[in-house]
Amino acid sequence: MISLSEASAGVIPGARAIFTTKSGQASVGRKGASREAFSDFNLGLHVGDEDTAVRENRRLLSDYLGAPVAFVNQTHSARVAEVGPDWDFAAVNDADALVTTRRDVALAIMVADCMPILLADTNAGVAAAVHAGRVGFLGEILPAAIAEMLRFGALPENMRALIGPSMCGRCYEVPQQMHDEAVARVPELSARTPRGSYSLDLRAGARAQLVSAGLAESAIDDSYPCTGEALEYFSYRRENVTGRFVGAIRLL
Ligand SMILES: [Zn+2]
């Protein structure tokens, strides 16, 4: 290993954080089991891939992170699930963010253009993984996840955030009405494509919410590639039939 893995592995001291790519080798140092449109490190069930391949890929991710990985059934909601001592890894739980104080589990959010946001206050020992597409973002999933972290003792000034690979403000083109409705609620979302049409900058919106919650600007890393432009990531907008990569975090 590694190179690409290092490039996409987020740095939060006291935690292990990763944004995977299409390549198992580049992500976790092992070739993934998925084929064709899902080649080779698809981590999403129910996207048309073979379940056995996805489960093998999830096992490789778990090996890499050194802990069982908690996934949820993501529904673009504002529901936050706590991964507590009794978390059932086999159960299907609807949620769009996970929060934990456990050091023996990893939290994963699946995406292919939506924002995967990883958060931690490693002093307090609290981590979160958040799935924020347009709908979930406007539903305030990120503030909901931060509120849960605070409830578990996290302090905003000690929190770090990684806004992972996702559609950038130049690429996420939307109809004007959708743009205007979103911007009326969060002005930082306003963006344009290079040809001047309306788009949304969800990353700018997330950064604004994080700063508003009390995180330092320097504690927020949103420098990851755009999934619409960087071919090493699954992109639903670009490919339609495609896999899912993850943002995953584990407290050390
Ligand atoms: Zn882009």
Side-chain angles (χ1 to χ4, degrees):
M1 319 199 319
I2 297 186
S3 83
L4 241 187
S5 172
E6 293 283 80
S8 59
V11 178
I12 297 182
R16 178 171 291 179
I18 185 175
F19 297 106
T20 62
T21 70
K22 285 179 171 178
S23 163
Q25 189 67 44
S27 300
V28 297
R30 301 275 301 278
K31 182 168 172 52
S34 296
R35 301 290 170 258
E36 300 176 350
F38 309 103
S39 179
D40 58 65
F41 202 52
N42 166 44
L43 292 156
L45 293 163
H46 312 299
V47 293
D49 196 1
E50 293 175 23
D51 281 8
T52 52
V54 178
R55 295 201 185 283
E56 170 63 8
N57 291 340
R58 288 186 175 191
R59 191 182 66 76
L60 296 176
L61 178 69
S62 175
D63 283 355
Y64 176 82
L65 292 167
V69 183
F71 286 86
V72 283
N73 182 45
Q74 301 166 193
T75 63
H76 303 278
S77 72
R79 183 161 186 279
V80 184
E82 183 206 346
V83 179
D86 300 326
W87 182 262
D88 179 356
F89 288 86
V92 176
N93 297 288
D94 290 348
D96 286 273
L98 300 122
V99 174
T100 198
T101 57
R102 290 176 62 175
R103 295 178 187 279
D104 60 346
V105 301
L107 312 176
I109 282 296
M110 295 173 285
V111 287
D113 295 333
C114 289
M115 280 186 298
I117 304 172
L118 303 178
L119 298 151
D121 173 347
T122 54
N123 288 339
V126 185
V130 181
H131 166 239
R134 179 183 58 87
V135 173
F137 179 83
L138 291 173
E140 308 227 316
I141 182 66
L142 181 54
I146 293 170
E148 279 296 287
M149 292 182 74
L150 301 186
R151 202 166 68 79
F152 287 111
L155 298 174
E157 59 268 33
N158 291 336
M159 284 168 56
R160 297 178 65 95
L162 307 176
I163 302 172
S166 50
M167 290 288 278
C168 80
R170 297 183 305 279
C171 293
Y172 186 20
E173 185 175 35
V174 295
Q176 182 179 355
Q177 185 182 346
M178 188 180 286
H179 168 273
D180 292 351
E181 286 171 2
V183 169
R185 296 175 56 186
V186 183
E188 290 83 357
L189 294 174
S190 185
R192 297 290 187 276
T193 67
R195 59 190 182 82
S197 57
Y198 290 93
S199 58
L200 295 177
D201 189 343
L202 292 182
R203 298 182 192 195
R207 176 176 276 277
Q209 287 186 336
L210 290 164
V211 169
S212 170
L215 275 77
E217 291 272 6
S218 61
I220 305 165
D221 183 353
D222 59 0
S223 65
Y224 293 91
C226 167
T227 50
E229 299 173 67
L231 300 179
E232 66 263 38
Y233 299 98
F234 294 112
S235 170
Y236 183 77
R237 271 215 166 194
R238 191 177 63 234
E239 296 159 341
N240 199 8
V241 176
T242 193
R244 297 292 181 272
F245 66 96
V246 301
I249 186 164
R250 178 193 167 194
L251 295 167
L252 296 174

